[in-house]
Amino acid sequence: MKRLCSLKVYSLLLTLLILCSVARSQLRTDFYASSCPKVFRIVRKEVQNAITNEMRIAASLLRLQFHDCFVNGCDGSIFLDGDDSEKLAFPNRNSARGFEVVDTIKTAVESACSGIVSCADILTIATRDSVLLSGGPNWKVFLGRRDGLVANQTGANSNLAGPTETIQSILTKFTNVGLNLTDVVALSGGHTIGSSRCGVFNTRFFNFSGTGAPDSRIETSMLSDIQNTCPAENGDGNKTVPLDRNSVDLFDNQYYKNLLDGQGLFASDQSLATGNETLTETTRPIVELYSQQNQRFLDDFVTSMIKMANISPLTGTDGEIRKNCRKVNS
C-alpha cells in the first residue's frame, strides 16, 4: 500500500512538473477554442479516413512526430521539402511516411480557419488520434506551436535513434532533448503498432554484428518466420513485417511481453529486456512492469508523449503558420 501511494504521489508530481513546463512554453489545451473550434473534429475525421484506408498509417503519423520533435524541436520542420529536407536524411529516406495525410488534414483545416493552425499542431493532434483510434489512450494535447522556417537534414542524421543503437546511445539522444530513461522505455512502446521493412533489420536475423550468425536472443519460432519472410539472398528489402507480431495494429502492452520472450524485432528494442548492456539492468524492470500492468504503460506513455511534444516549441511570434506544410510562406 505504501509503495502504491508513493507511486501515485510520484505520478502526480511528475504530471505537475510537465504541466508547469508546458505552461512556461505558452502551450494550452484550449489554444484554438475561439480561433478554430472545429480543428479537433476535422483532424479526427481525416485521421479516421486514413486509418480506414490503411491501418499502418497510425504508426506512421506517430513516428513522424518523434522524428519531427527530435530535430529542431516540435516545429513541423520534417514536412519541408528542399535540398536540406529532413525527409532525405538516412533515418527518414524511403521510411518516413504519412506526409500526404498531413497535407489532406491541412487542406481541410485551412478551409475552416485559414492561417490559424500550424502544421506542428496538426501533427500533434493527429498523433494523439492515431494512438486513440488504434485502441490506445486518449489525452488532452497542448497546442500553440508555430512552424519552423528551416529544415535540418544534418540534425536528422545525427539526432534520430536507430534500430541497431545501444540503449546508452539512445538515452544520450533522449537526454539531449530533456527526456530520461523511463521515457525511452515508455516511448519505445509505440512499437506496439506499425511495421518495418526487411532491409532495416534483417541482418540481425542472419549476421548479427558481423558474427555470421543470428542474434542469439531471438526466440526460435520468430527467427524461422523472419528468415523465411526476409531471406538474406534475393529477398525484397521493402517487404514489411509487424513490429508487434502478436498484437498487430492494437495499441497495448504486448510489445513488452514480446521483449521478455525474445520477440523484439529491433536489436535496440530487445536490449531493453535482454543483453549485455549495463543499462539493461535498469530498463528490464520497467519492461517487466509494463508487461504486467497495461494501464501503467498507457499512463506513462501519455506522460512521455506530452513531454516529447513539448520539446523546444516555437510560440508567440517565432516561426510562422505555414499555409502549405511542405514550404515556408512566400
Side-chain angles (χ1 to χ4, degrees), residues 317-329:
T317 58
D318 292 334
E320 65 181 11
I321 306 298
R322 276 185 235 137
K323 297 178 181 179
N324 181 334
C325 293
R326 295 174 181 262
K327 62 182 182 180
V328 297
N329 298 336

Side-chain angles (χ1 to χ4, degrees), residues 238-310:
N238 289 317
K239 192 170 184 177
T240 59
V241 171
L243 291 167
D244 181 349
R245 62 194 257 111
N246 296 308
S247 181
V248 180
D249 295 327
L250 180 62
F251 201 99
D252 59 14
N253 66 339
Q254 182 62 47
Y255 161 84
Y256 298 101
K257 298 177 183 179
N258 293 346
L259 298 186
L260 295 174
D261 291 336
Q263 295 188 20
L265 189 63
F266 296 155
S268 56
D269 286 342
Q270 191 57 55
S271 294
L272 296 174
T274 57
N276 297 322
E277 293 191 50
T278 302
L279 284 175
T280 302
E281 297 177 0
T282 303
T283 57
R284 182 180 174 90
I286 305 175
V287 171
E288 292 174 338
L289 175 64
Y290 291 164
S291 74
Q292 297 164 3
Q293 299 182 27
N294 186 56
Q295 192 58 52
R296 177 60 184 270
F297 157 55
L298 298 179
D299 290 344
D300 283 4
F301 180 82
V302 167
T303 297
S304 294
M305 283 296 294
I306 294 173
K307 288 175 64 177
M308 185 191 72
N310 193 43

Side-chain angles (χ1 to χ4, degrees), residues 120-304:
D121 274 351
I122 284 175
L123 179 58
T124 302
I125 301 170
T127 297
R128 187 274 310 273
D129 288 351
S130 294
V131 171
L132 177 63
L133 294 171
S134 299
N138 191 11
W139 67 91
K140 291 186 176 182
V141 289
F142 290 83
L143 303 168
R145 298 166 193 78
R146 290 169 65 84
D147 297 318
L149 303 177
V150 294
N152 185 355
Q153 189 177 129
T154 300
N157 277 320
S158 60
N159 298 345
L160 298 176
T164 62
E165 290 189 57
T166 64
I167 304 175
Q168 182 59 64
S169 175
I170 294 173
L171 175 60
T172 297
K173 293 179 178 181
F174 272 59
T175 302
N176 288 343
V177 293
L179 302 177
N180 58 37
L181 193 59
T182 299
D183 296 318
V184 171
V185 183
L187 292 175
S188 294
H191 286 170
T192 186
I193 57 174
S195 58
S196 178
R197 295 181 298 114
C198 291
V200 172
F201 61 80
N202 66 346
T203 54
R204 178 177 177 237
F205 291 80
F206 294 94
N207 183 21
F208 183 56
S209 300
T211 62
D215 185 344
S216 60
R217 299 173 295 176
I218 304 172
E219 186 267 335
T220 55
S221 65
M222 181 179 183
L223 176 62
S224 177
D225 289 346
I226 298 297
Q227 287 181 337
N228 289 329
T229 303
C230 305
E233 296 182 8
N234 302 318
D236 182 359
N238 289 317
K239 192 170 184 177
T240 59
V241 171
L243 291 167
D244 181 349
R245 62 194 257 111
N246 296 308
S247 181
V248 180
D249 295 327
L250 180 62
F251 201 99
D252 59 14
N253 66 339
Q254 182 62 47
Y255 161 84
Y256 298 101
K257 298 177 183 179
N258 293 346
L259 298 186
L260 295 174
D261 291 336
Q263 295 188 20
L265 189 63
F266 296 155
S268 56
D269 286 342
Q270 191 57 55
S271 294
L272 296 174
T274 57
N276 297 322
E277 293 191 50
T278 302
L279 284 175
T280 302
E281 297 177 0
T282 303
T283 57
R284 182 180 174 90
I286 305 175
V287 171
E288 292 174 338
L289 175 64
Y290 291 164
S291 74
Q292 297 164 3
Q293 299 182 27
N294 186 56
Q295 192 58 52
R296 177 60 184 270
F297 157 55
L298 298 179
D299 290 344
D300 283 4
F301 180 82
V302 167
T303 297
S304 294

Side-chain angles (χ1 to χ4, degrees), residues 50-51 53-68 78-79 86-89 91-103 105 123 126-127 130 193-197 200 238 240 243 249 326:
I51 291 176
N53 184 57
E54 182 196 9
M55 191 65 194
R56 183 187 172 198
I57 205 66
S60 298
L61 291 172
L62 174 59
R63 185 166 181 258
L64 276 183
Q65 186 166 42
F66 274 76
H67 285 217
D68 181 46
I78 194 170
F79 299 122
E86 293 165 27
K87 300 174 186 178
L88 302 178
N92 292 327
R93 192 182 308 145
N94 300 319
S95 176
R97 49 197 307 278
F99 299 108
E100 294 79 6
V101 174
V102 175
D103 290 339
I105 299 172
L123 179 58
T127 297
S130 294
I193 57 174
S195 58
S196 178
R197 295 181 298 114
V200 172
N238 289 317
T240 59
L243 291 167
D249 295 327
R326 295 174 181 262

